[in-house]
Amino acid sequence: MGEEKAPKRKPVKARPWTWVWATAVMTVICAGPLALLAWDEIGEAKPADCSDVMTFARGTLPADARDARCTAAHWQDTVAEAEFRTDRAGAWLAATYPAGETAYSCEVDVCVRASYDEVLFVDVSIAYEDGGTALVRVKAFDL
């Protein structure tokens, strides 16, 4: 009796999709943690130049502004905030945001919202302090 030989098989080649999935998995494993680190800082409010913040908010700081602090956060939209003290808050508000509408609810003395083409919104709040000084907060955000 003769010996039977098993037929020889060709080596198995990887399918094209195997390489696609292997590449995708390696990308997630290697780049995932780096993306999470970058994502954590995106949109975080950081100190900003007050003149840039007020330009974004379509206004300017009053001449007598003091103790000004400004921040801005950028991601899908931009949120910029300015806080300062002034002695002429009412006159500044009327000159800077004449088309502003009084907000429905307000936890301080004056609250105004100005809208620019339904894309940029500016919220201004004024809290009067002792001696005629006012703490002004401006928050501008776009969509």
Side-chain angles (χ1 to χ4, degrees):
M1 303 202 136
E3 259 181 63
E4 290 185 30
K5 289 186 179 180
K8 288 190 177 183
R9 293 185 178 180
K10 293 182 183 177
V12 177
K13 290 185 180 177
R15 296 182 190 140
W17 282 104
T18 303
W19 293 111
V20 171
W21 285 110
T23 303
V25 167
M26 289 305 294
T27 301
V28 169
I29 289 172
C30 295
L34 293 175
L36 287 175
L37 287 173
W39 184 280
D40 189 36
E41 291 191 19
I42 293 175
E44 185 177 319
K46 295 185 175 148
D49 182 28
C50 285
S51 63
D52 292 340
V53 168
M54 291 305 295
T55 299
F56 176 72
R58 308 261 175 110
T60 58
L61 286 174
D64 68 334
R66 57 192 176 278
D67 302 330
R69 292 179 293 161
C70 299
T71 60
H74 307 284
W75 193 55
Q76 291 181 339
D77 52 5
T78 298
V79 177
E81 296 184 36
E83 180 179 283
F84 58 90
R85 286 184 166 75
T86 182
D87 294 329
R88 299 177 300 198
W92 171 83
L93 181 63
T96 307
Y97 301 106
E101 298 177 7
T102 304
Y104 290 111
S105 64
C106 187
E107 295 179 8
V108 292
D109 297 313
V110 178
C111 294
V112 171
R113 172 171 270 193
S115 173
Y116 297 93
D117 299 326
E118 297 297 322
V119 176
L120 175 70
F121 297 92
V122 180
D123 291 332
V124 180
S125 64
I126 299 173
Y128 290 103
E129 299 174 332
D130 295 334
T133 302
L135 176 63
V136 179
R137 289 188 175 101
V138 178
K139 180 179 181 180
F141 57 95
D142 62 2
L143 303 176

